[in-house]
Amino acid sequence: DIVMTQSPDSLAVSLGERATINCKSSQSVLNSSNKKNYLAWYQQKPGQPPKLLIYWSSTRESGVPDRFSGSGSGTDFTLTISSLQAEDVAVYYCQQYYSTPLTFGGGTKVQIK
Amino acid sequence: EVQLVESGGGLVQPGGSLRLSCAASGFIFSRYDMHWVRQVTGKGLEWVSAIGAAGDTYYPGSVKGRFTISRENAKNSLYLQMNSLRAEDTAVYYCARGVVTGTGVKNWFDPWGQGTLVTVSS
């Protein structure tokens, strides 16, 4: 099984500042044939189901604000919120879909400082 | 609008059974892989099962042999039959659509339903 490890567990950022969340996989999720990283990011607000933000490690889902960006390759990935807004308070999860069982990181809680 | 609505959750005793349902609308259900993902209250996400558009099924070790995923395309419905339930199966169960990647059920999930709570307790 591919183990996904997120860091930090939580972070507090001032409004308008940058938030950076890391996700590390226990083995590469890069498909050498198509050069794609099988990594997605989700946002979950209290009382709501997760919402897709990013797939293929860096492709933003339609309608997602461009302050959200994904980067990385192989085993190390980052979700960046360039200018934190109040509505971004949530828990963020990474997920690999390179192999079954499909697995998630433990989540990172983002709060306002 | 794509919509997924789960039902069937509730309180069940350890060793008991429960069947969850997910009603899908707003898309051609038969063309998509479908998944169940669960979340212990206040904790992280765990993928529970998948069924491909062709009916192939997949499970993680934690539920294999106890849970069975199925679909009824004529009714745009997804099911999860859960047997031999344990306290550690207590969670909110989400139905989620898999996005076609060309690699079978190795999908990301979009959208998700609102979830149904399963509580296993005596």
Side-chain angles (χ1 to χ4, degrees):
Chain A
D1 299 3
I2 298 178
V3 176
M4 307 299 290
T5 303
Q6 286 184 233
S7 62
D9 292 336
S10 64
L11 74 161
V13 176
S14 300
L15 287 172
E17 296 301 305
R18 179 185 301 261
T20 301
I21 300 167
N22 300 302
C23 174
K24 187 175 183 67
S25 57
S26 61
Q27 62 190 77
S28 177
V29 298
L30 172 64
N31 185 316
S32 56
S33 300
N34 60 14
K35 301 293 188 283
K36 290 184 175 182
N37 287 282
Y38 285 51
L39 191 285
W41 289 97
Y42 301 87
Q43 174 194 65
Q44 187 177 32
K45 297 182 179 180
Q48 296 184 19
K51 172 191 170 186
L52 176 69
L53 293 177
I54 286 170
Y55 54 93
W56 296 133
S57 73
S58 61
T59 302
R60 200 178 303 115
E61 170 71 340
S62 176
V64 173
D66 60 7
R67 63 180 179 274
F68 291 91
S69 64
S71 63
S73 185
T75 62
D76 292 280
F77 300 89
T78 300
L79 175 70
T80 302
I81 309 172
S82 60
S83 176
L84 191 74
Q85 305 299 304
E87 61 265 32
D88 301 335
V89 169
V91 179
Y92 293 84
Y93 295 93
C94 60
Q95 177 231 335
Q96 66 81 19
Y97 48 96
Y98 183 84
S99 66
T100 55
L102 308 175
T103 50
F104 294 86
T108 296
K109 187 173 186 178
V110 174
Q111 302 172 92
I112 305 295
K113 185 187 292 182
Chain B
E1 179 194 4
V2 175
Q3 196 168 13
L4 300 170
V5 179
E6 303 93 337
S7 61
L11 176 63
V12 60
Q13 291 189 339
S17 298
L18 208 58
R19 189 196 197 205
L20 305 183
S21 300
C22 172
S25 60
F27 65 101
I28 303 174
F29 179 74
S30 61
R31 294 186 181 177
Y32 285 82
D33 305 327
M34 296 297 296
H35 301 256
W36 289 98
V37 178
R38 68 185 178 185
Q39 184 172 36
V40 174
T41 301
K43 302 295 184 183
L45 300 162
E46 181 186 14
W47 172 73
V48 170
S49 61
I51 186 165
D56 44 317
T57 59
Y58 305 83
Y59 307 91
S62 58
V63 307
K64 197 167 187 177
R66 300 190 299 124
F67 289 11
T68 302
I69 189 172
S70 61
R71 65 192 300 161
E72 192 167 356
N73 290 338
K75 292 187 176 181
N76 290 336
S77 292
L78 177 72
Y79 306 102
L80 184 67
Q81 177 66 44
M82 303 185 294
N83 298 331
S84 303
L85 282 162
R86 307 165 180 167
E88 54 264 37
D89 296 318
T90 295
V92 173
Y93 285 72
Y94 294 104
C95 165
R97 186 179 70 172
V99 178
V100 176
T101 61
T103 56
V105 297
K106 298 169 196 171
N107 308 146
W108 65 85
F109 311 114
D110 181 50
W112 301 55
Q114 288 297 315
T116 187
L117 176 62
V118 172
T119 303
V120 184
S121 175
S122 54

